[in-house]
Amino acid sequence: MKKRTLCLMVTLMLLMGSFTSFAITKEEAQGWYYGNASAWAYEELIDAVTNGIVLDPALLEDCKKNITRQEFAKLAVNLYKATKKNNPIPAPTSTFTDTKDPSVRIAYKLGIINGVGGGKFAPNNPITREQMGAMILNAVKALGVKYEKGDGILVMTDKADVSSWAINGVDFVYESGLMRGDGIKFNPKSTTPIEQAVAITNRVYKKYAGSVTVAKNDYRKGYKTVIENDGLYVKFNNTGNKEPIVKYGEEFKTTNNFRMELSKVSDVQITMDYRKVYFLDEDGRLFSYDVKKDSYYNYIDELGFISGYALVEKGKYEGYYLVRPKGDSGAIAYDTNLEKVGQVYTLDPYTVEGYIEAAYNFSFDIEEEKHYTMKKYGGRWNKGKTLNMTIDNRSDGPIALVANKFENPIVYRSSGIYETTMKFNNEEHSNAGIVFNVTRANVGNDQYTGYYVGLSPKNDTVLVGWSNYKWNMLKEVKLGFDVKKGRNYNIRVEKIGGHIDVYVEGKKYISVRNELLDVDGYIGVRGWNADVDYVSFSAEKVPF
């Protein structure tokens, strides 16, 4: 329980600032266990703990044990953090195949360490003294301080044993007095006890910490949000510093805590311009975070408890909210003043503009149908490479309307361009095609209110009409060619206001005017006595 409380405190404190140093007093450090520590090392180890070079007491359980490459990488990163006062971002988890340790990945990204080849780091191998020298030089470079680079000419008697890639590092630590060996030999291939490695790293800290100028995070010089496995951060261009904003599933507290209580974050979304971050807590409350002002806002009073949301990121509807109330399969659009715009009928998160446009731009091959489905009224339906519709004993004129994944039909504007490609499997007295501006639909022939455009294989005609639970023909025209089974035919309907144009195979055959059903409604396909395969279906909005 104590460990969990400490972790929670760490999370909360990290969220309240760009860098939090968990300072250990000398008295507290004296209470740590330093297993097998040498008499000379005891005070240096306490000093290293106090300075933040060692953060994990487990490292010091056996101070005589040889330090590993991964353990020393952690010391180098702690040196960087304690000196620069920030939390650097690690390299990707795929950097090495044999370790995912964050400190190793941070050290790699800072240029402090390299691998051993083949995508490996060899984390558990004891580190050699020449490897330590190279890492220390790289760590000092990462700090951005002035240092004596040395001339790269070694003077120790075993200089021939130093690897060529380690010469500059060994020369630096030897000439600066950080690592001297026995004064005659450097012993580059030897290992190092933990107590010596900690003491050496602490000496580097004391030598250079005072000369590091810690830059302040400057919003004016740019920043970006970074999504990581554990939460959302903001990274500043001028310093590279990373500040946590929210942690997934963790409790957090804001600087303006009078606006919100401790919450758990379940979903986070960032806008493209990065000015604000939006997120949902586990109770269904929507919040936004202003990166520049470091302030949070709670939308619960305006929107209530919700189960999902989206934010339009571009186009003329940029800044609009799309909110799905709990227990509601639809969504509601709100403008930038949080005034309700209206109901939205699609929940596809990948067509954000489509939320506001109510999915007026819509296209899919039946075979590749992903985010949409069809709401069926009557008939027999088979879904393979095509959507096949045949009649049944309940209906000789079944309908299928374009719907979201919850099978709720999607409302489209009264004007639009609708197109389908279909194939007849029979040539009896039948027809099939597109329905649009549909406001009601039920099982049964002509049991709908809306317009219908269809092809008739027996008559070789294209027809247009409307139904209000009773069929009304507007116009039927001969095509001039045979509509044969087994062949694909394309129908395109362009409806602008009360004007309807009908194209078959790219040629206009019908142009009529009718305003009886010029209303927003559903779109879809319909057949009468038909066995037909619908290969594709699309809808476009019409600019006014």
Side-chain angles (χ1 to χ4, degrees):
M1 185 66 183
K2 180 182 287 187
K3 184 176 181 180
R4 183 176 180 181
T5 302
L6 177 60
C7 291
L8 179 58
M9 289 174 61
V10 170
T11 301
L12 290 172
M13 294 179 72
L14 278 173
L15 288 165
M16 296 176 66
S18 60
F19 175 80
T20 302
S21 176
F22 297 100
I24 299 293
T25 66
K26 185 174 181 179
E27 183 178 17
E28 290 171 329
Q30 288 172 337
W32 282 33
Y33 175 68
Y34 301 91
N36 296 323
S38 301
W40 67 265
Y42 184 69
E43 289 298 329
E44 287 215 52
L45 294 174
I46 291 174
D47 193 43
V49 172
T50 304
N51 290 331
I53 303 303
V54 179
L55 301 178
D56 185 3
L59 179 68
L60 304 175
E61 289 180 356
D62 185 357
C63 296
K64 290 290 197 303
K65 188 179 74 171
N66 288 328
I67 194 164
T68 65
R69 286 168 53 80
Q70 181 162 296
E71 288 169 338
F72 190 77
K74 290 182 180 181
L75 293 182
V77 170
N78 292 343
L79 164 69
Y80 181 90
K81 290 181 178 181
T83 306
K84 297 286 283 184
K85 310 300 182 190
N86 71 58
N87 296 296
I89 298 174
T93 55
S94 59
T95 302
F96 297 111
T97 59
D98 53 356
T99 180
K100 307 299 181 187
D101 185 83
S103 291
V104 172
R105 291 185 286 123
I106 290 173
Y108 180 80
K109 191 160 188 176
L110 291 175
I112 296 174
I113 59 103
N114 291 300
V116 296
K120 296 182 181 295
F121 178 67
N124 298 319
N125 287 0
I127 191 170
T128 64
R129 286 172 57 80
E130 65 179 5
Q131 289 173 350
M132 275 183 56
M135 284 191 193
I136 290 173
L137 175 58
N138 290 337
V140 171
K141 289 179 180 178
L143 293 177
V145 297
K146 292 182 180 180
Y147 63 95
E148 294 295 330
K149 297 182 179 180
D151 53 17
I153 300 175
L154 303 179
V155 296
M156 63 283 296
T157 60
D158 57 352
K159 59 185 178 182
D161 296 333
V162 177
S163 302
S164 58
W165 53 263
I167 288 175
N168 289 333
V170 170
D171 184 48
F172 169 72
V173 295
Y174 188 84
E175 294 295 335
S176 62
L178 294 170
M179 294 176 65
R180 295 289 292 180
D182 59 10
I184 299 174
K185 290 185 176 182
F186 185 77
N187 301 310
K189 301 297 192 288
S190 297
T191 55
T192 302
I194 288 173
E195 60 184 9
Q196 287 186 18
V198 171
I200 290 168
T201 309
N202 191 51
R203 291 169 197 166
V204 176
Y205 172 80
K206 291 195 289 186
K207 185 177 180 69
Y208 294 106
S211 60
V212 172
T213 301
V214 180
K216 293 183 178 180
N217 301 329
D218 191 340
Y219 290 95
R220 297 170 301 174
K221 296 183 178 179
Y223 53 87
K224 64 180 179 179
T225 48
V226 181
I227 297 178
E228 296 190 2
N229 291 336
D230 62 338
L232 188 72
Y233 297 79
V234 58
K235 183 179 179 183
F236 301 94
N237 293 350
N238 70 312
T239 61
N241 292 352
K242 182 183 69 170
E243 292 183 10
I245 298 174
V246 288
K247 295 273 191 174
Y248 299 127
E250 294 289 342
E251 293 186 340
F252 65 94
K253 191 173 184 179
T254 69
T255 52
N256 56 343
N257 53 20
F258 64 91
R259 281 191 175 173
M260 61 189 284
E261 302 295 329
L262 292 176
S263 307
K264 286 191 177 180
V265 178
S266 64
D267 188 24
V268 174
Q269 183 176 131
I270 57 176
T271 61
M272 290 184 69
D273 62 10
Y274 304 124
R275 289 176 299 182
K276 283 190 176 181
V277 179
Y278 297 83
F279 56 96
L280 200 65
D281 77 358
E282 65 175 3
D283 294 322
R285 298 181 297 179
L286 180 63
F287 299 93
S288 71
Y289 170 71
D290 189 307
V291 177
K292 187 173 182 179
K293 296 179 180 178
D294 186 25
S295 60
Y296 292 76
Y297 188 75
N298 176 4
Y299 297 100
I300 183 173
D301 294 336
E302 291 82 2
L303 305 179
F305 292 97
I306 63 178
S307 61
Y309 67 99
L311 183 75
V312 181
E313 297 178 348
K314 58 185 178 180
K316 64 180 179 179
Y317 295 107
E318 182 177 356
Y320 275 59
Y321 299 90
L322 288 307
V323 172
R324 185 165 72 248
K326 280 194 172 183
D328 191 337
S329 59
I332 300 172
Y334 292 85
D335 64 16
T336 52
N337 295 319
L338 290 175
E339 294 181 1
K340 185 174 179 179
V341 175
Q343 186 77 21
V344 180
Y345 295 89
T346 175
L347 300 179
D348 180 1
Y350 304 104
T351 55
V352 180
E353 281 291 323
Y355 278 106
I356 298 296
E357 296 295 339
Y360 301 131
N361 287 329
F362 164 80
S363 177
F364 71 88
D365 289 336
I366 300 295
E367 183 180 5
E368 299 178 354
E369 181 182 342
K370 294 179 180 179
H371 303 301
Y372 298 88
T373 185
M374 306 293 279
K375 176 70 173 179
K376 289 98 173 178
Y377 299 86
R380 290 192 295 268
W381 301 84
N382 297 300
K383 175 70 167 57
K385 291 187 176 181
T386 61
L387 179 66
N388 175 256
M389 177 175 65
T390 58
I391 63 173
D392 61 11
N393 57 10
R394 297 184 303 152
S395 171
D396 55 4
I399 287 178
L401 302 177
V402 175
N404 62 23
K405 61 184 178 181
F406 298 99
E407 292 194 352
N408 295 320
I410 301 170
V411 173
Y412 288 78
R413 286 179 176 169
S414 59
S415 296
I417 300 172
Y418 316 117
E419 192 167 356
T420 187
T421 298
M422 59 186 184
K423 178 181 68 174
F424 286 93
N425 300 310
N426 66 340
E427 292 186 9
E428 291 79 20
H429 188 45
S430 64
N431 53 67
I434 300 171
V435 288
F436 50 99
N437 296 103
V438 176
T439 54
R440 292 177 292 176
N442 291 290
V443 176
N445 186 35
D446 295 332
Q447 296 302 295
Y448 68 98
T449 299
Y451 291 107
Y452 170 64
V453 169
L455 291 185
S456 172
K458 184 174 180 62
N459 298 328
D460 298 323
T461 58
V462 57
L463 57 94
V464 59
W466 59 277
S467 174
N468 187 14
Y469 290 88
K470 180 182 179 181
W471 174 246
N472 301 274
M473 180 75 77
L474 291 175
K475 196 168 187 178
E476 185 172 13
V477 177
K478 279 283 187 180
L479 292 170
F481 61 84
D482 292 338
V483 178
K484 298 181 179 180
K485 69 178 181 179
R487 177 183 167 183
N488 289 347
Y489 293 94
N490 176 268
I491 302 177
R492 177 181 173 92
V493 177
E494 296 182 359
K495 182 180 183 299
I496 303 176
H499 194 84
I500 302 173
D501 290 331
V502 179
Y503 298 77
V504 180
E505 295 294 285
K507 179 181 177 180
K508 185 193 291 188
Y509 282 90
I510 293 177
S511 184
V512 297
R513 185 165 190 85
N514 185 278
E515 298 179 353
L516 289 174
L517 303 176
D518 188 22
V519 294
D520 292 353
Y522 309 124
I523 60 172
V525 294
R526 175 185 182 268
W528 179 74
N529 280 333
D531 180 349
V532 63
D533 290 330
Y534 294 94
V535 179
S536 66
F537 190 94
S538 66
E540 301 175 41
K541 69 177 181 178
V542 176
F544 289 93

